[in-house]
Amino acid sequence: MKTQRMSKFISSLCVVVISLSAYSQSKKDTITTPVKKERYGIRVGVDLNKIARRFYTDDYSGLELVADYRLTKKMYIAAELGNEDYTIDDNQVNFTTKGNYLKVGFDYNAYENWLDMENMIYIGLRYGFSSFSQNLNSYTIYDDRLINDNDIKYLDEVTVTTDREYSGLSAHWAEVVGGIKAEVFDNLYLGFSVRLNYLITDKKPENFDNLHISGFNRTYSGSFGAGFNYTVSYFIPLYKKADKPKENK
């Protein structure tokens, strides 16, 4: 009898142990990693390059405001709004470009942040529009003159002052952007980006050309441009959103 009771007790104990083990394993299979909440909001700032350029470039003034808004973990809506007033004294022409511009598009953050980091290494696209005017201040022409009977010629430079303004000009372009943004203090970011531009269409002045477009910069081969900026910006958090939990299998 005692042997039978002992056998039944051991059998029951085994069943309980197996059941507890199975239950414990089931719980382990469904345990998820702690939920991490990401901050979402708007970041606003200014281009330091355009402010500093006033001090090392003659006859230049400009200001550019920058902003981005986080849509998803990786995607941001981005925009730049600015104005420029720039007089360029080239080899044969002196002109002033003055106008406003707006760029809108998106950035994709390719950087995998860890812990509570919120830095960016990104690529993006922009659509740019500029409304501006060109003022042809002066231009230089060369005139051939005979200086002796041997028919020797020289080129005489003649500068013609015109002070002619061409207003109501506009331009549209596409812009490829690549850059970084790093948090240096709480919510304060420093950034750098390079830009390659392709001019889609522009309204040109009569008997002149758009050699420089506000927001687009100097035109090369009529269609291409390039630029860069250094930014300081401040992040304004609006809400937090939890990442999808990952299951441990």
Side-chain angles (χ1 to χ4, degrees):
M1 292 291 294
K2 289 183 179 180
T3 303
Q4 290 180 351
R5 281 188 227 167
M6 183 62 70
S7 178
K8 287 182 179 180
F9 174 76
I10 293 174
S11 299
S12 300
L13 184 60
C14 289
V15 171
V16 172
V17 171
I18 292 172
S19 299
L20 289 175
S21 177
Y23 176 75
S24 176
Q25 185 63 40
S26 176
K27 291 291 287 182
K28 287 182 180 179
D29 290 342
T30 58
I31 290 176
T32 58
T33 57
V35 176
K36 179 184 176 183
K37 290 188 175 181
E38 300 276 356
R39 299 194 305 169
Y40 287 73
I42 187 171
R43 183 165 31 205
V44 293
V46 64
D47 179 10
L48 297 176
N49 177 54
K50 281 189 168 48
I51 296 176
R53 193 174 175 182
R54 300 182 181 192
F55 300 99
Y56 65 80
T57 301
D58 294 336
D59 300 319
Y60 176 87
S61 65
L63 178 67
E64 180 176 281
L65 303 178
V66 299
D68 62 58
Y69 177 78
R70 190 177 188 181
L71 280 179
T72 68
K73 184 177 181 179
K74 294 290 187 180
M75 297 297 297
Y76 295 74
I77 295 177
E80 293 91 25
L81 175 67
N83 65 77
E84 286 186 308
D85 187 341
Y86 189 20
T87 297
I88 299 176
D89 189 10
D90 215 336
N91 292 331
Q92 291 182 271
V93 64
N94 182 291
F95 65 96
T96 300
T97 302
K98 182 187 299 184
N100 305 308
Y101 62 89
L102 173 66
K103 307 176 190 179
V104 293
F106 68 88
D107 293 329
Y108 175 80
N109 185 15
Y111 183 71
E112 287 293 339
N113 285 293
W114 56 287
L115 296 179
D116 294 326
M117 294 172 61
E118 294 176 325
N119 299 325
M120 294 181 66
I121 300 177
Y122 64 91
I123 56 174
L125 291 174
R126 300 284 190 277
Y127 165 78
F129 170 76
S130 179
S131 176
F132 59 98
S133 65
Q134 301 273 20
N135 197 93
L136 179 58
N137 303 317
S138 63
Y139 61 92
T140 301
I141 60 176
Y142 298 93
D143 192 15
D144 292 341
R145 303 286 184 181
L146 292 175
I147 61 173
N148 56 33
D149 296 335
N150 295 326
D151 198 28
I152 300 175
K153 296 182 179 181
Y154 73 97
L155 294 177
D156 184 26
E157 292 186 7
V158 179
T159 299
V160 179
T161 302
T162 59
D163 194 24
R164 181 177 180 181
E165 182 179 9
Y166 304 91
S167 60
L169 307 177
S170 61
H172 302 256
W173 69 90
E175 191 167 290
V176 179
V177 184
I180 60 173
K181 289 180 182 177
E183 188 175 18
V184 291
F185 298 105
D186 288 344
N187 298 328
L188 187 67
Y189 290 79
L190 289 180
F192 170 76
S193 71
V194 293
R195 285 119 190 286
L196 297 177
N197 312 330
Y198 179 76
L199 189 63
I200 300 173
T201 181
D202 65 327
K203 183 179 179 181
K204 295 182 179 181
E206 185 179 356
N207 298 323
F208 195 47
D209 200 355
N210 292 323
L211 304 178
H212 187 279
I213 298 172
S214 299
F216 184 90
N217 296 325
R218 191 68 180 258
T219 57
Y220 297 92
S221 301
S223 298
F224 294 96
F228 64 93
N229 68 3
Y230 294 99
T231 60
V232 57
S233 54
Y234 187 81
F235 177 69
I236 303 172
L238 300 179
Y239 64 93
K240 290 186 177 181
K241 184 179 178 181
D243 279 348
K244 292 182 179 180
K246 297 180 180 180
E247 294 188 354
N248 294 328
K249 296 183 179 181

